[in-house]
């Protein structure tokens, strides 16, 4: 019996993962990751890194971050507390959805996760105060391969649902896309 329901999203390779909880009067058990069950939908590498983030204020935007090959990573993003508008942007050069974005609400209540393939940028907006996200990464962070898009770039036109109340200077300072950006290749 699978503990996950996986739904394809409009960008090839991007998946919505819903966990099946086993529960009774004591509470519940929720499987966060299973290599055997997620391999058929694209997770083929071991987990190389697990990160936890906490975002204090509603309206805060973080991202849009990615890792360039050969350190490109797949991510499984889970919301443990609060709710976020979680966004993935397709950066794969030859993809028919190149530079298109898709968002899903992830929350502690809906227990949904976003499975983001290699070649995507990722970011989110906190829809509540005190949001905690748990990330499973297929590759360790490599500073020399880090890249980012500006979350406010009009070329992306991400429809953030709330007024942006906070962004790091670093994220706000990322350049807007130009014709020089041709995407990522595997």
């Amino acid at each position: 019996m699978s503990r996950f329901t996986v739904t394809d999203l409009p960008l090839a390779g991007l998946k919505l993962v819903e966990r099946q909880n086993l529960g009774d009067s004591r509470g519940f058990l929720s499987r966060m990751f299973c290599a055997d069950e997620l391999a058929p939908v694209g997770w083929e590498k071991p987990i190389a890194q697990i990160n936890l983030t906490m975002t204090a204020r509603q309206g805060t935007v973080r991202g849009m971050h990615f890792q360039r090959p050969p350190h490109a990573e797949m991510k499984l993003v889970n919301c443990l507390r609060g709710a976020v508008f979680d966004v993935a942007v397709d950066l794969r050069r030859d993809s028919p959805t190149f530079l298109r974005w898709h968002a899903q609400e992830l929350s502690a209540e809906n227990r949904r996760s976003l499975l983001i393939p290699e070649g995507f940028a990722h970011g989110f907006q906190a829809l509540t105060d005190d949001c905690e996200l748990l990330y499973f990464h297929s590759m360790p962070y490599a500073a020399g391969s880090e890249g980012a898009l500006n979350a406010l770039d009009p070329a992306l036109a991400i429809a953030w649902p709330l007024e942006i109340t906070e962004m790091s200077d670093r994220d706000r300072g990322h350049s807007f896309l130009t014709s020089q950006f041709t995407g990522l290749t595997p």
Side-chain angles (χ1 to χ4, degrees):
M1 173 184 99
S2 178
R3 297 273 180 93
F4 302 105
T5 301
V6 179
T7 305
D8 291 327
L9 294 172
L11 308 180
L14 187 64
K15 313 277 186 193
L16 180 66
V17 178
E18 297 179 88
R19 298 183 301 276
Q20 308 300 315
N21 293 327
L22 299 176
D24 58 26
S25 62
R26 300 167 297 160
F28 68 87
L29 171 102
S30 182
R31 182 169 291 160
M32 298 300 291
F33 183 88
C34 178
D36 288 344
E37 291 184 45
L38 294 176
V41 297
W43 193 287
E44 297 173 351
K45 297 178 181 175
I47 293 173
Q49 191 167 298
I50 300 172
N51 293 316
L52 175 69
T53 64
M54 196 286 289
T55 303
R57 292 187 56 213
Q58 177 184 23
T60 300
V61 168
R62 289 182 176 227
M64 304 293 298
H65 306 136
F66 61 93
Q67 291 278 114
R68 290 182 182 87
H71 298 101
E73 62 184 352
M74 180 173 251
K75 293 180 187 177
L76 182 65
V77 182
N78 309 277
C79 185
L80 302 180
R81 183 165 56 151
V84 299
F85 181 76
D86 206 64
V87 179
V89 177
D90 188 350
L91 301 179
R92 299 170 297 179
R93 176 179 299 166
D94 297 324
S95 172
T97 56
F98 178 60
L99 294 183
R100 286 193 27 214
W101 62 273
H102 181 81
Q104 289 289 144
E105 182 175 325
L106 306 180
S107 70
E109 186 175 305
N110 71 23
R111 295 187 183 94
R112 292 178 171 165
S113 302
L114 201 57
L115 182 68
I116 303 170
E118 293 178 7
F120 278 68
H122 171 257
F124 67 90
Q125 183 175 45
L127 300 176
T128 63
D129 289 342
D130 301 321
C131 293
E132 288 187 5
L133 296 183
L134 183 69
Y135 297 78
F136 296 87
H137 300 261
S138 65
M139 293 289 287
Y141 172 75
S145 293
E146 182 181 40
L149 305 177
N150 190 307
L152 303 176
D153 192 329
L156 298 174
I158 298 171
W160 300 106
L162 302 177
E163 176 185 346
I164 296 174
T165 57
E166 196 168 339
M167 255 177 104
S168 71
D169 290 340
R170 183 172 172 236
D171 283 347
R172 193 176 294 279
H174 293 303
S175 300
F176 287 170
L177 291 169
T178 67
S179 59
Q180 305 301 312
F181 183 77
T182 59
L184 302 177
T185 55

